[in-house]
Amino acid sequence: KVSTGSYKRQVYEVPSGKQLVDQAVIDRITWATWTSVLGDEVIGIWSRHAEKADVNCACVSHSGINLVTGDDFGMVKLFDFPCPEKFVRTCFCMVTATSTVDIRISSCFSRRHMTEIFSSLNL
């Protein structure tokens, strides 16, 4: 699965490299990882006033229940995954010094760990 510069999500078959266009086939795929900011599963990460280029990166936890995003405003946000509803409130939010262009969740991540991190920052 790739996301293009024109904000389209494309899925390719492995190992042939043939593009899949049948949505029913794509919907049946279980992804081992998720790092895309595009798709019905992540519609809720976009705030009411966000532009497409504002959210730069996303990563779903290994358990598949949490999603962390990074954006142009230096915000790192935690969501439940999937979040198919528009304008979902974040569970937690942290401000970094600059734009966040890439983010990953370690295998030991849990919501409790994230709560402790955010609480210690006194945001």
Side-chain angles (χ1 to χ4, degrees), residues 11-123:
V11 178
Y12 293 88
E13 190 175 65
V14 176
S16 73
K18 177 183 170 191
Q19 185 175 358
L20 296 175
V21 293
D22 184 348
Q23 192 60 47
V25 171
I26 294 169
D27 290 343
R28 287 193 304 269
I29 297 172
T30 300
W31 300 102
T33 62
W34 184 288
T35 57
S36 178
V37 297
L38 302 178
D40 293 339
E41 301 86 347
V42 294
I43 289 173
I45 69 173
W46 303 95
S47 67
R48 197 170 302 278
H49 304 290
E51 296 179 13
K52 286 184 178 177
D54 288 345
V55 180
N56 301 317
C57 52
C59 184
V60 172
S61 63
H62 295 278
S63 64
I65 60 172
N66 297 302
L67 171 74
V68 175
T69 65
D71 64 31
D72 281 347
F73 310 106
M75 305 290 276
V76 175
K77 299 176 182 176
L78 175 67
F79 298 89
D80 291 328
F81 183 81
C83 53
E85 304 290 326
K86 286 186 176 184
F87 317 125
V88 172
R89 289 182 50 99
T90 61
C91 298
F92 300 101
C93 183
M94 177 174 68
V95 181
T96 62
T98 60
S99 173
T100 306
V101 295
D102 196 15
I103 195 163
R104 293 293 180 268
I105 298 175
S106 73
S107 60
C108 63
F109 171 84
S110 74
R111 183 170 291 241
R112 181 181 59 80
H113 292 122
M114 187 61 81
T115 304
E116 290 171 359
I117 291 167
F118 281 93
S119 296
S120 69
L121 296 173
N122 296 318
L123 299 177

